[in-house]
Amino acid sequence: MARPNLKSLLRLSQFAVNLNLNKTTQLTNLSKSLITQNRNFSTSKIIRQDTSNNNAPATKINFYVEEYKDKGYMVLKFNKAPVNSLNLEFLTELNIQLDKIEQSKDIKGVILTSHLPNIFSAGLDILEMYQIKQERGTQFWTALQETWIKLYGSNKIFIAAINGHSPAGGCLLAMSCDYRIMTKGPYKIGLNETLLGIKAPFWFRDTMINTIGYRETEKALQLGKLYSPEEALAVNLVDEIVDANVLIQKAEEQMVKWCSIPTVARELTKSSMRRDTVSKLIAQRESDTQSFIEFTQRDSIQKSLKGYLEAMKKPKK
């Protein structure tokens, strides 16, 4: 079964609105002609890994890693076509990368971005929620929890260079970083789960509250709000918006600034700000996983997801 692409995201979101909210409000077109980012890096080391599937074609590379050990940081690029959707295999490999980063004595920080043009990450792979067996669903949700715990609770500096759309789980990854820079253009970012008939988990909610405040989060989550770059900047969902051709440059400038802060003091400060939020999920991982399994297996949710997938197959009129 085909994975969602950018054009289908718009059609599917609209279908979910009609199905679950009985509205006809048109979402902003996520498949307009977008800005393509071109930048050549001078790197000291490039690592290509594909540990997600031993039987996968040799050309499949889910991540590009560019290390600048002399500067103390690296660039980690998502490369899971077409939209960097988060499935079990991708999350497992990402967790391996995050473990290596945390253990590295040479790397203080990471610029998190996408190798694919116009998309940071489209979020959770819908096929991980549709007609899945409980064992697979448990593995998937546990891997997602692990990714968030490792990223949000990391001692390292993470700067998100958001080079395109970043809905749902993509927004969660971005919010988990210490600083967010987004490309100007017809892009969208936000937690839009309600438009798909899904309630955002409490740790998605808490991450957003910590980022943009309680009242704005309350509105955003109920409405499934997808913000333009300008709107995201206004509510502090992102910290800067820039032209595509300087996105990585601006991220590098911020990384140098953050790396210049005494490491121990910065790490202790970050931990004191985020520890309680992370501990809350750690204490409830099993119940949170069970809630995910029970919720996604509801007939109403499966019906919604089925309609979502069927809408993807329909030719665009």
Side-chain angles (χ1 to χ4, degrees):
M1 189 176 293
R3 289 322 198 240
N5 55 35
L6 282 176
K7 292 182 180 179
S8 68
L9 287 175
L10 172 62
R11 301 201 305 273
L12 300 178
S13 295
Q14 182 59 48
F15 174 84
V17 171
N18 292 339
L19 182 65
N20 296 294
L21 304 181
N22 196 27
K23 293 181 179 180
T24 57
T25 304
Q26 189 70 32
L27 296 177
T28 302
N29 193 337
L30 297 184
S31 57
K32 292 179 181 178
S33 136
L34 304 173
I35 301 170
T36 300
Q37 173 180 296
N38 293 305
R39 176 175 170 84
N40 293 321
F41 288 89
S42 175
T43 63
S44 57
K45 187 177 183 182
I46 298 180
I47 304 173
R48 298 184 178 184
Q49 295 186 339
D50 180 23
T51 61
S52 63
N53 186 349
N54 292 332
N55 297 318
T59 55
K60 181 184 177 185
I61 302 168
N62 281 336
F63 298 92
Y64 286 98
V65 181
E66 302 175 356
E67 293 185 353
Y68 302 84
K69 289 185 177 180
D70 56 328
K71 298 179 181 179
Y73 68 88
M74 60 182 279
V75 181
L76 178 60
K77 297 180 177 182
F78 304 147
N79 188 53
K80 181 176 175 289
V83 292
N84 292 324
S85 58
L86 309 178
N87 66 358
L88 174 58
E89 290 74 24
F90 183 83
L91 290 170
T92 299
E93 189 174 348
L94 177 56
N95 288 337
I96 292 171
Q97 295 285 358
L98 293 175
D99 282 337
K100 290 180 178 179
I101 291 165
E102 201 67 25
Q103 294 165 9
S104 174
K105 296 180 180 180
D106 299 316
I107 300 298
K108 290 184 177 181
V110 179
I111 295 173
L112 201 62
T113 191
S114 170
H115 185 69
L116 306 177
N118 313 317
I119 183 75
F120 182 71
S121 170
L124 306 189
D125 190 331
I126 206 73
L127 295 179
E128 295 287 9
M129 294 179 277
Y130 181 63
Q131 294 184 347
I132 58 169
K133 295 181 179 180
Q134 182 168 339
E135 182 180 1
R136 172 78 183 194
T138 299
Q139 291 174 343
F140 166 69
W141 199 250
T142 299
L144 179 63
Q145 291 174 334
E146 195 70 21
T147 298
W148 179 78
I149 290 170
K150 292 178 186 296
L151 184 56
Y152 194 74
S154 175
N155 283 325
K156 304 296 184 178
I157 302 157
F158 278 87
I159 294 178
I162 308 165
N163 62 311
H165 298 297
S166 190
C171 180
L172 179 72
L173 294 180
M175 290 192 299
S176 299
C177 294
D178 300 286
Y179 197 85
R180 290 164 293 282
I181 308 175
M182 189 172 186
T183 296
K184 296 177 182 177
Y187 303 122
K188 294 292 182 178
I189 183 172
L191 297 181
N192 61 324
E193 281 80 358
T194 54
L195 298 184
L196 309 179
I198 299 171
K199 179 179 75 72
F202 72 85
W203 40 288
F204 282 53
R205 176 201 67 204
D206 290 350
T207 305
M208 180 167 261
I209 289 173
N210 292 347
T211 305
I212 65 175
Y214 193 95
R215 177 55 182 153
E216 186 64 30
T217 298
E218 185 177 40
K219 292 187 294 182
L221 291 186
Q222 291 190 66
L223 296 173
K225 171 72 173 176
L226 286 170
Y227 298 83
S228 68
E230 292 75 17
E231 291 171 332
L233 180 63
V235 299
N236 295 317
L237 186 54
V238 299
D239 300 294
E240 290 183 57
I241 55 174
V242 300
D243 292 330
N245 62 340
V246 296
L247 176 64
I248 298 300
Q249 175 188 332
K250 293 297 183 181
E252 289 172 335
E253 290 174 0
Q254 279 296 325
M255 184 59 73
V256 170
K257 178 180 179 180
W258 285 68
C259 285
S260 69
I261 305 300
T263 300
V264 174
R266 184 197 57 74
E267 288 180 353
L268 289 174
T269 301
K270 179 177 181 178
S271 177
S272 70
M273 297 290 292
R274 298 191 173 196
R275 185 189 306 113
D276 290 346
T277 306
V278 173
S279 296
K280 186 176 178 181
L281 174 59
I282 291 175
Q284 302 180 57
R285 288 189 70 172
E286 282 192 28
S287 60
D288 178 65
T289 300
Q290 188 60 34
S291 294
F292 166 75
I293 297 297
E294 292 176 356
F295 183 79
T296 54
Q297 288 182 346
R298 291 180 184 176
D299 290 342
S300 60
I301 299 302
Q302 287 297 306
K303 181 179 179 181
S304 176
L305 295 176
K306 180 180 179 181
Y308 195 112
L309 293 168
E310 288 176 349
M312 279 178 17
K313 299 176 183 178
K314 294 179 180 179
K316 187 176 180 181
K317 295 181 180 180

